Structure formats: C-alpha cells, structure tokens
Amino acid sequence: MEKATNQQQFSVVINDRVAERLAQFCTTVGVSENAAVGLVINYFFDDPKLISRLMKGYREMATLNREISHDFSCCEEDADAHLAQYRRRLRNFY
C-alpha cells in the first residue's frame, strides 16, 4: 500500500485466500487495494451495530476470563509452590 500525505501507514497480514479475494474484488470493481481497504475500514467504523456487538462480546469475554482466572488461581498457586520446591531441590542437589 502506498503512503499518502498526512496519513498513517499500517500493515495487515492476510492469508492467501483473502489475498485472492481482495485481488479479485479490486479487478472486478476496478479499484486499487488501498481504496478497497479504505472501503472496508470505513464500513466497519460506520456500522454502529457491529461496533456495539463487538464491544458487548469483548465485555462478555472479559467477564468469562475473569471467572476462569479466579477458578484456577488456586491451581496456579499450588503449581507454583510445587515448582519452587522442585527448583530448591535441584539447587541443593547440584
């Protein structure tokens, strides 16, 4: 992608299938890759329902991750204690 004046440049990594679809779209519609990416990004930001659903999903995942972390914190602490004992034994052995 070309860097335009007074605009930020960024990179996106896409797989071969997406690259093929992008090239096909650009050829069919007759626009550059920059224009196609701009269309997609603007569509994404201009769709308040999509943004709202994404935000809701991230909030739900944050709550779920917090619950999982809480549920397994005892296991993590126990594993950490066992590892500390094991490391002490190794240091004393050598």
Side-chain angles (χ1 to χ4, degrees), residues 61-91:
M61 287 305 301
T63 301
L64 180 61
N65 286 337
R66 211 174 4 261
E67 290 171 7
I68 291 170
S69 296
H70 178 265
D71 290 347
F72 285 90
S73 63
C74 292
C75 296
E76 291 292 326
E77 291 169 7
D78 189 47
D80 192 42
H82 285 287
L83 284 171
Q85 279 181 332
Y86 176 73
R87 289 181 189 119
R88 277 194 299 276
R89 284 189 209 142
L90 279 179
R91 274 186 249 138

Side-chain angles (χ1 to χ4, degrees), residues 48-60:
K49 288 181 183 176
L50 175 63
I51 300 298
S52 179
R53 287 192 312 264
L54 284 170
M55 288 172 35
K56 181 181 177 194
Y58 281 116
R59 282 192 296 269
E60 289 173 3

Side-chain angles (χ1 to χ4, degrees), residues 1 10-14 37 41:
M1 290 187 213
F10 67 95
S11 298
V12 177
V13 177
I14 56 176
V37 170
I41 289 173

